[in-house]
Amino acid sequence: MASSLTKDAAQQGNPADGGKTFFGHPRGLATLFMTEMWERFSFYGMRALLVVYLISGGADAEKGAQGGGLAMNVVTASAIYAVYLAMVYLLALPGGWFGDRVWGPRKTVAISAGVIMAGHLALAVPGQAMFFVGLALVAAGSGLLKANISTMVGHLYDGPQDPRRDGGFTIFYMGINLGAFAAPLVIGTVGQSVNWHLGFALAALGMALGLVQFLIGTRHLSPQSSVVPTPLQAEERAMWLRKGLIWIAVTAVFYGAVVISGHFTLNWALIPITLAGLIIPVSVLARIKRDKELSESEQTKVSGYIWFFVAAAVFWMIFDQGGSTMSAFAEKNTAGEVFGMSFPSSWFQSVNPLWVMALAPVLAWLWLWLARGNREPSTTVKFAMAMVLIGASFFVFIVPMMMSTDGTKVSPMWLISIYMIQTIGELCLSPVGLSVTTKLAPQKYASQMLGVWFLAVTAGDCVTGLLSIGGVDLSGTTVLAVEAALAVLAGFAVYTYRKKIVALMGDVR
């Protein structure tokens, strides 16, 4: 029934659309494009401010934003940033579960948008306590939204073999980067130059606009997006509620005892979360792999998917430091002026999405041109290219890092060039990874497999989080070189075993 709904929606469209398309794609793609754009506007605006807000304070308060930041050191700020990002992507898994078993993708996205908006409003309230409450709410809401909105993009097409599918995900990815580009310029400028908390409030406004647009445009979505694929039975619902309450009670008692005893520090929260962020992805993949209900073909595809998962984890471990290690470097060691025009360091967070918008059409054209001659790189080769590029970006990063050891402010062109290299790698991996996840996903885990894809980000960020918690300075040239070498070696491993991976993928290409 579910597959027939998808097919009907793809072939006939929603009657409310009047036969109209969005760049040759189903009209519902425009609704999801705009929703994701505004959600990313709010998310990346807050992300652009996060590390700078954490490390600013004291004398920095006189340089711009009223009230200053939280005056933390770079290592602690990097740890908080890494753990926060890890939780955003870790919670995508239960987000997919809610979409599959409780609310359906469409309702889950609407609820999650409200939670995200509440989180940004909490960040707009001064005080460290409200700051962490806001982070938790944004992480929870983003987790609920991410897997489900990507699943709804897949619902618009006639199965994995629909030739428009990869193009649809690429257009969707452009929506992400359009919001990500505008956010630091607007929210970052207001936050750094006027008031931190006003900047966070603008992020809430962005999410509110996204929610309104989504509710208005839901009539263009596939009917399948409202379906709960495998709804919870009454006894299952009671069991999950009971388990949830037990875990909440145990956590409350444990941390209550730690606080009362006077031993609580930030690490009591960060270390368990980072360890969970490493253990849970492995456990989830193992559970899916051992599921006896999967067919032999689905089992084989999951084995092939593990290769992509590990490669993606290494990639995001480095890439996501663009908002921590590289953001701190931009704030302290990079000149904030181009052609006589000064700008806040948060503007560097717009460079990556700008490169995406500039280069995505070029790469899309290149893949099509190569495909006409049957020379387009396979998914495995694209992943290998991404790994080598992300490693190369950190080898380049070592150069300005060494140039600034004496306090010299380096040219902004260094970071702009590094972001360009990383963006080319991202375009070889991220949209392709989203698409291959939906293609290799067992039917039983349709939405949850998108959550599994995001767990690769969790695993990568938790590695950097643990390193930061352990006091490792991620801006050290030795650490940068080790990370870069690890990525390049992983890329060569994927390329070397590409034929084995392709065989495991079955009929998926």
Side-chain angles (χ1 to χ4, degrees):
M1 177 62 73
S3 60
S4 64
L5 279 173
T6 305
K7 187 172 183 178
D8 290 344
Q11 292 180 341
Q12 300 171 3
N14 191 315
D17 295 344
K20 295 180 180 179
T21 64
F22 180 63
F23 294 108
H25 292 264
R27 183 94 177 270
L29 184 61
T31 296
L32 299 177
F33 174 96
M34 293 297 293
T35 303
E36 184 72 353
M37 184 194 75
W38 282 114
E39 189 273 333
R40 293 291 89 182
F41 176 85
S42 68
F43 178 84
Y44 279 95
M46 187 275 289
R47 180 180 181 267
L49 293 179
L50 184 54
V51 168
V52 183
Y53 173 68
L54 290 173
I55 65 177
S56 299
D60 288 332
E62 301 173 2
K63 292 193 285 185
Q66 301 171 14
L70 297 184
M72 296 182 179
N73 60 53
V74 174
V75 173
T76 302
S78 296
I80 292 172
Y81 171 85
V83 171
Y84 161 69
L85 273 192
M87 289 305 96
V88 168
Y89 292 96
L90 176 63
L91 291 169
L93 186 66
W97 182 86
F98 269 92
D100 279 344
R101 311 221 52 196
V102 183
W103 294 322
R106 189 182 301 191
K107 185 176 180 180
T108 304
V109 167
I111 292 172
S112 65
V115 174
I116 293 169
M117 187 169 59
H120 289 305
L121 289 174
L123 288 167
V125 178
Q128 186 166 307
M130 290 303 292
F131 172 80
F132 285 109
V133 168
L135 280 188
L137 287 172
V138 174
S142 296
L144 283 170
L145 183 140
K146 290 192 74 63
N148 288 286
I149 198 166
S150 296
T151 297
M152 286 194 290
V153 174
H155 286 165
L156 297 172
Y157 298 96
D158 184 15
Q161 304 306 323
D162 191 322
R164 302 172 300 168
R165 191 182 183 94
D166 280 7
F169 273 100
T170 299
I171 292 173
F172 177 70
Y173 204 64
M174 290 293 286
I176 293 174
N177 287 280
L178 186 60
F181 167 71
L185 303 180
V186 178
I187 296 173
T189 300
V190 171
Q192 280 191 274
S193 304
V194 181
N195 184 282
W196 295 112
H197 304 289
L198 180 58
F200 293 134
L202 284 177
L205 175 61
M207 190 66 259
L209 292 172
L211 176 58
V212 170
Q213 186 279 147
F214 177 76
L215 295 175
I216 292 173
T218 51
R219 67 184 185 277
H220 301 302
L221 301 178
S222 165
Q224 191 180 358
S225 67
S226 294
V227 174
V228 182
T230 52
L232 284 175
Q233 302 301 315
E235 59 273 17
E236 288 182 294
R237 190 180 296 270
M239 178 197 69
W240 281 107
L241 181 60
R242 184 170 60 252
K243 284 184 176 181
L245 291 174
I246 289 173
W247 277 107
I248 290 172
V250 169
T251 303
V253 170
F254 176 78
Y255 279 102
V258 173
V259 171
I260 292 172
S261 66
H263 290 92
F264 183 81
T265 63
L266 190 58
N267 282 352
W268 276 98
L270 297 181
I271 292 176
I273 293 174
T274 50
L275 290 175
L278 290 173
I279 294 169
I280 290 174
V282 175
S283 302
V284 168
L285 281 171
R287 178 175 62 84
I288 293 174
K289 187 72 179 71
R290 293 197 307 265
D291 192 333
K292 302 299 183 183
E293 295 182 11
L294 301 187
S295 67
E296 183 178 347
S297 173
E298 289 177 323
Q299 288 278 3
T300 301
K301 289 177 181 178
V302 172
S303 297
Y305 184 73
I306 291 173
W307 281 85
F308 296 114
F309 181 91
V310 174
V314 177
F315 180 90
W316 296 119
M317 177 185 72
I318 295 176
F319 183 88
D320 276 345
Q321 289 183 58
S324 56
T325 306
M326 292 177 66
S327 180
F329 185 81
E331 173 71 5
K332 296 181 176 295
N333 302 101
T334 305
E337 184 176 299
V338 173
F339 302 125
M341 183 186 76
S342 298
F343 57 91
S345 63
S346 57
W347 281 25
F348 280 106
Q349 297 304 306
S350 287
V351 174
N352 165 250
L354 181 61
W355 277 124
V356 169
M357 290 186 288
L359 296 175
V362 176
L363 262 69
W365 172 84
L366 178 62
W367 301 145
L368 287 173
W369 180 73
L370 290 172
R372 283 196 289 269
N374 200 29
R375 293 175 295 169
E376 181 185 3
S378 65
T379 298
T380 50
V381 173
K382 289 177 182 176
F383 263 68
M385 291 165 58
M387 304 304 297
V388 172
L389 286 165
I390 198 69
S393 75
F394 261 30
F395 278 128
V396 175
F397 189 26
I398 291 173
V399 178
M401 192 70 73
M402 296 180 68
M403 290 171 60
S404 65
T405 52
D406 61 354
T408 301
K409 296 258 188 182
V410 302
S411 167
M413 294 307 298
W414 280 105
L415 289 184
I416 291 171
S417 300
I418 293 166
Y419 280 125
M420 181 191 70
I421 299 170
Q422 293 184 345
T423 300
I424 298 173
E426 180 190 5
L427 291 170
C428 290
L429 180 139
S430 192
V432 175
L434 278 172
S435 183
V436 80
T437 297
T438 63
K439 292 177 181 178
L440 294 176
Q443 182 61 37
K444 181 178 177 181
Y445 298 100
S447 290
Q448 292 179 60
M449 279 300 285
L450 266 299
V452 171
W453 166 250
F454 294 125
L455 284 183
V457 186
T458 296
D461 286 331
C462 281
V463 171
T464 55
L466 281 176
L467 290 172
S468 296
I469 292 168
V472 176
D473 182 6
L474 295 175
S475 62
T477 53
T478 301
V479 176
L480 292 177
V482 170
E483 290 183 86
L486 176 63
V488 171
L489 289 173
F492 278 114
V494 170
Y495 183 79
T496 301
Y497 290 95
R498 65 191 182 282
K499 293 182 179 179
K500 177 180 179 180
I501 300 170
V502 169
L504 291 171
M505 293 169 65
D507 59 347
V508 173
R509 292 291 179 268

